[in-house]
Amino acid sequence: MVDKKLEIKGLNIRFEDVRALKDLSLDIYKNEILSVIGPSNSGKTTFLRALNRLNDLEDRIRMEGTILIDGRDIYGQMEPEELRKRVGMIFALPIPLPLSIYDNIAYGPRMSGLRERKRLDAVIEKSLNEAFLWDEVKDRLHSSALKLSGGQQQRLCIARTLALEPDIILFDEPCSGLDPISTSRVEDSMIELKKTKTIVLVTNNTKQAARVGTRTAFFLMGDLIEVDRTEKVFTAPADQRTNDYITGKFG
Amino acid sequence: MTNLTVNLKEKIGFGALFLATMAVVVPVLCIIWLIVTRGWSAISWEFLFTMPRDGMRAGGIFPAIVGTFYLVLGSVAFSLPVGVMAAIYLNEYAKDNFLTRMINLAIINLSGVSSVVYGLFGLSLFVVFFRFGVSIISGSLTLGIMTLPVIITTTREALRAVPKPFREVSFSLGTTRWQTIRHAVLPFALPGILTGAILSIGRAAGETAPILFTVAAFYLPNLPNSPFDQAMALPYHLYIISTQIPNIRLDYRYGTALVLVGFVLIMNISAIVVRSKFRKKRW
């Protein structure tokens, strides 16, 4: 845990009059899963959407501070399109586009200019394999993605993100709508992906954070209360509020 | 007792709503019945596909049908691309500021301007200023501007109806704004956009005032051969034979009206068929 993948310094985000994130500084290391936990309105999702500049889409959000990826400033030295190819995102609800399974996964690569059929086929098989979905869908790649079950759809979304070969993946409560079996499959794929990628996982499910997180960060009302190794946070939290949250005294 | 009055109120309310609905349906049925019963006997191969004769008292209305066809085509060819592009700009690119609000207000007001004002506007801008003369192109552009608010409004509604997460997913996959609009928004808004086109076809085909000074001819011996020619048009032809030509057979007038209504109906149905094709293609 030496290599810093992401460095966040003095991040302040304001949504009109509301301070969503207050002076946040945090490093994220290569090949770890950083779980971000906290009650709603604690700024977790806003934080995540700052990392791939999805907050840019909202006119009313104001931001200060710097975020570096491998030492490069994502707001000053990178175009959002380039950044988002390197920093993939999985949303809370699976959102397949109303296209076939194949076209959903090919969407990103095609938009980046990959047209050659053979190479597209290869990308799609590889991505579906990495998302543990290939065996279930290999015979019906050209049927609608909307016919898949919720858990399959979420793994499809993971495959779609992987097709661009990002080195960082942001998960925004990816299992909030899934049953326990689907959840464990998504978690398995996260643990597998950690070997090659860096993962930031926002979750409302503290048990999930305990299961998969290398480190865990606790956010409360826009403040980072503490961040440490997951075992440490869950067994001997430094802050009383963290202890109250993970033991279910509020949340 | 109270139950009875509640029930009575319910019945009166239901009756009022039903009557209001009938007030819409009955006139439409009456108009269609009137036109069909009085005009049907005029409809023949000759009526539809030959030139008028004997001071328009005999022969057919072919040039008026052709003229209206050109005008509808020309106006949609102008207003659909311009309207859709304006709607895309307003919905996807424009920030919510003073200028945007003024544009929105202008569009709303534009749809309330009476059609004769569009006619005068077309006369001064296209006929006189751009020197297009009284011609199909002037008439088409005038009708096009008149139908622009309809197309912009329906297209914006269609764009708004595309779920926001589609856009976010597309952006999160590293696409540019235009790629997102082109591939994750427009395909799913297309049926709604076509609805706007359908509505504007009906208006463009039926309006008389905007074409009065810009394109419509009382009588032409030949069909138009270029966009800079004048043309006859169904609504204006109907107006003329109903007011300017004495001793014309009654079924000629109603036959013309029937053709106009049928024309709009056929264009609408073909657009609806196209729309349902796109709807199916979505999933």
Side-chain angles (χ1 to χ4, degrees):
Chain A
M1 297 236 298
V2 221
D3 290 343
K4 286 178 187 172
K5 189 73 190 170
L6 280 154
E7 293 169 69
I8 296 117
K9 294 176 195 157
L11 187 64
N12 276 290
I13 295 180
R14 215 176 257 285
F15 186 79
E16 288 185 335
D17 297 333
V18 182
R19 290 187 66 185
L21 278 181
K22 299 166 197 163
D23 205 26
L24 175 78
S25 293
L26 176 64
D27 293 335
I28 300 171
Y29 303 107
K30 212 170 257 181
N31 303 118
E32 75 165 337
I33 297 179
L34 176 76
S35 301
V36 179
I37 57 169
S40 38
N41 289 321
S42 55
K44 309 185 299 281
T45 296
T46 308
F47 166 67
L48 209 59
R49 292 162 77 100
L51 301 180
N52 69 346
R53 293 184 59 175
L54 217 53
N55 284 336
D56 290 15
L57 303 182
E58 287 282 347
D59 288 341
R60 289 169 295 181
I61 289 184
R62 295 281 165 271
M63 193 198 113
E64 295 160 20
T66 45
I67 301 174
L68 307 179
I69 286 184
D70 295 330
R72 275 174 79 200
D73 184 345
I74 67 166
Y75 281 84
Q77 294 171 294
M78 283 171 110
E79 289 301 317
E81 291 83 22
E82 180 200 353
L83 171 74
R84 291 179 194 137
K85 280 173 204 166
R86 287 190 54 190
V87 184
M89 184 171 221
I90 310 297
F91 295 84
L93 292 173
I95 305 153
L97 295 169
L99 304 167
S100 71
I101 295 170
Y102 188 99
D103 289 338
N104 258 286
I105 301 169
Y107 188 88
R110 275 185 180 143
M111 294 297 125
S112 313
L114 183 63
R115 295 271 156 199
E116 205 187 313
R117 187 74 193 200
K118 269 189 182 162
R119 285 177 59 199
L120 269 178
D121 286 349
V123 166
I124 280 149
E125 182 171 350
K126 180 166 177 276
S127 314
L128 280 170
N129 262 320
E130 286 175 335
F132 299 117
L133 190 60
W134 174 251
D135 289 333
E136 289 162 60
V137 301
K138 63 183 173 194
D139 299 323
R140 47 171 172 154
L141 290 176
H142 295 281
S143 67
S144 169
L146 299 175
K147 289 190 188 131
L148 299 174
S149 73
Q152 289 173 325
Q153 286 186 0
Q154 195 59 300
R155 278 177 285 146
L156 175 83
C157 293
I158 294 173
R160 183 170 63 189
T161 301
L162 291 174
L164 287 163
E165 302 191 335
D167 40 1
I168 299 167
I169 303 182
L170 314 173
F171 287 85
D172 186 5
E173 298 174 33
C175 302
S176 53
L178 302 184
D179 62 81
I181 293 168
S182 302
T183 299
S184 78
R185 290 219 177 103
V186 171
E187 287 174 4
D188 287 346
S189 68
M190 276 191 257
I191 290 166
E192 190 63 31
L193 288 169
K194 183 176 77 162
K195 291 176 187 162
T196 51
K197 301 176 193 303
T198 304
I199 291 174
V200 185
L201 165 70
V202 160
T203 179
N204 274 330
N205 181 343
T206 44
K207 286 186 184 131
Q208 181 170 59
R211 281 195 296 267
V212 300
T214 318
R215 288 189 307 152
T216 296
F218 175 59
F219 281 35
L220 184 63
M221 308 282 282
D223 286 309
L224 172 62
I225 304 298
E226 71 174 285
V227 54
D228 212 325
R229 298 195 56 83
T230 297
E231 311 88 83
K232 169 86 169 43
V233 171
F234 279 88
T235 52
D239 195 287
Q240 184 58 39
R241 289 166 294 181
T242 314
N243 189 47
D244 290 348
Y245 181 72
I246 58 178
T247 53
K249 287 201 178 125
F250 72 97
Chain B
M1 194 64 197
T2 23
N3 242 342
L4 202 69
T5 48
V6 168
N7 269 335
L8 191 67
K9 274 186 189 164
E10 176 91 13
K11 274 191 180 131
I12 291 170
F14 174 79
L17 295 177
F18 181 74
L19 280 178
T21 313
M22 282 301 111
V24 180
V25 176
V26 169
V28 173
L29 291 178
C30 286
I31 289 169
I32 291 173
W33 182 76
L34 190 77
I35 294 174
V36 172
T37 50
R38 297 195 180 177
W40 186 252
S41 58
I43 305 294
S44 67
W45 188 262
E46 190 198 13
F47 186 69
L48 293 175
F49 294 107
T50 63
M51 307 294 284
R53 282 182 284 115
D54 302 339
M56 296 194 273
R57 287 185 186 83
I61 56 165
F62 187 56
I65 296 175
V66 170
T68 289
F69 183 72
Y70 286 157
L71 286 174
V72 167
L73 221 58
S75 69
V76 173
F78 167 76
S79 62
L80 194 59
V82 173
V84 169
M85 286 193 281
I88 290 173
Y89 171 76
L90 287 170
N91 206 53
E92 308 289 330
Y93 287 94
K95 296 217 156 102
D96 184 24
N97 55 26
F98 181 71
L99 181 69
T100 312
R101 279 197 287 273
M102 290 311 288
I103 294 173
N104 284 334
L105 200 64
I107 291 167
I108 292 165
N109 281 313
L110 214 54
S111 55
V113 172
S114 77
S115 54
V116 70
V117 176
Y118 281 105
L120 290 168
F121 168 76
L123 173 69
S124 56
L125 185 68
F126 301 122
V127 178
V128 178
F129 184 78
F130 284 138
R131 295 169 200 257
F132 291 153
V134 176
S135 62
I136 293 176
I137 190 155
S138 298
S140 296
L141 290 171
T142 308
L143 288 171
I145 286 182
M146 186 190 73
T147 52
L148 217 42
V150 179
I151 294 201
I152 292 176
T153 312
T154 47
T155 302
R156 289 185 72 180
E157 289 306 318
L159 292 173
R160 267 194 216 125
V162 176
K164 192 179 164 202
F166 284 15
R167 293 177 176 82
E168 292 188 340
V169 162
S170 179
F171 279 122
S172 79
L173 294 168
T175 60
T176 62
R177 191 167 278 269
W178 172 245
Q179 283 177 324
T180 293
I181 293 168
R182 169 69 189 76
H183 297 280
V185 179
L186 272 185
F188 312 119
L190 214 51
I193 294 171
L194 285 171
T195 304
I198 291 169
L199 290 171
S200 72
I201 285 172
R203 270 203 85 184
E207 281 287 350
T208 315
I211 58 174
L212 200 57
F213 320 114
T214 53
V215 51
F218 187 84
Y219 170 72
L220 291 170
N222 298 311
L223 293 177
N225 340 307
S226 95
F228 292 97
D229 285 346
Q230 273 188 279
M232 296 171 71
L234 283 169
Y236 185 57
H237 187 69
L238 181 59
Y239 167 73
I240 291 166
I241 62 175
S242 305
T243 59
Q244 313 289 307
I245 299 175
N247 308 324
I248 191 165
R249 276 163 50 202
L250 190 71
D251 67 345
Y252 252 66
R253 292 189 213 152
Y254 283 98
T256 308
L258 182 58
V259 170
L260 178 55
V261 171
F263 179 93
V264 172
L265 206 65
I266 288 168
M267 288 205 125
N268 281 358
I269 288 171
S270 37
I272 288 167
V273 169
V274 173
R275 183 175 67 179
S276 67
K277 283 251 161 65
F278 278 116
R279 279 223 174 111
K280 275 188 202 124
K281 231 181 92 188
R282 283 170 81 182
W283 318 131

